[in-house]
Amino acid sequence: MTETVTEYNDGAKSGHDSMGKDVKHVIPLTTAPYYAAHIYPVIMGTFGGVKTNEKYEVLDKDGKVIPNLFSTGESANKRLYNHVYMSGSSVQFALTSGRVAGKAAATQLE
């Protein structure tokens, strides 16, 4: 951590940040204590998804089923988006839509 802070501060002084940050936003860290957090960026939901029917078969631009193409979970989120979509519900939606699509796909094999 000490090496990282030193490198960052050197970049702030020289006007060249080795980590690629625009130097106008690089402010030297001069007062301890320092804190660090490992962050994993994620998204909790998509904005839309492809259009599907009640069996989660993907529909083309004319609303006709594209044979043997299903979409579930986040990629078929048009049904829930902008309604009640809170943390955790995407997991249930993925499980439920996957089950419905799987059942529909299985009947097409018969």
Side-chain angles (χ1 to χ4, degrees), residues 35-103:
Y35 300 93
H38 201 133
I39 298 171
Y40 298 93
V42 297
I43 59 172
M44 292 182 60
T46 55
F47 293 99
V50 297
K51 195 174 226 180
T52 61
N53 63 13
E54 67 282 348
K55 296 177 186 175
Y56 295 96
E57 295 171 295
V58 176
L59 306 177
D60 66 14
K61 64 180 180 174
D62 299 318
K64 295 186 176 154
V65 171
I66 300 173
N68 302 312
L69 183 60
F70 295 84
S71 180
T72 64
E74 294 283 322
S75 64
N77 188 22
K78 262 190 185 327
R79 292 173 185 256
L80 289 181
Y81 174 70
N82 207 23
H83 294 279
V84 179
Y85 196 75
M86 298 177 284
S87 178
S89 63
S90 60
V91 174
Q92 184 57 46
F93 180 64
L95 292 171
T96 303
S97 60
R99 183 175 185 274
V100 171
K103 198 172 183 180

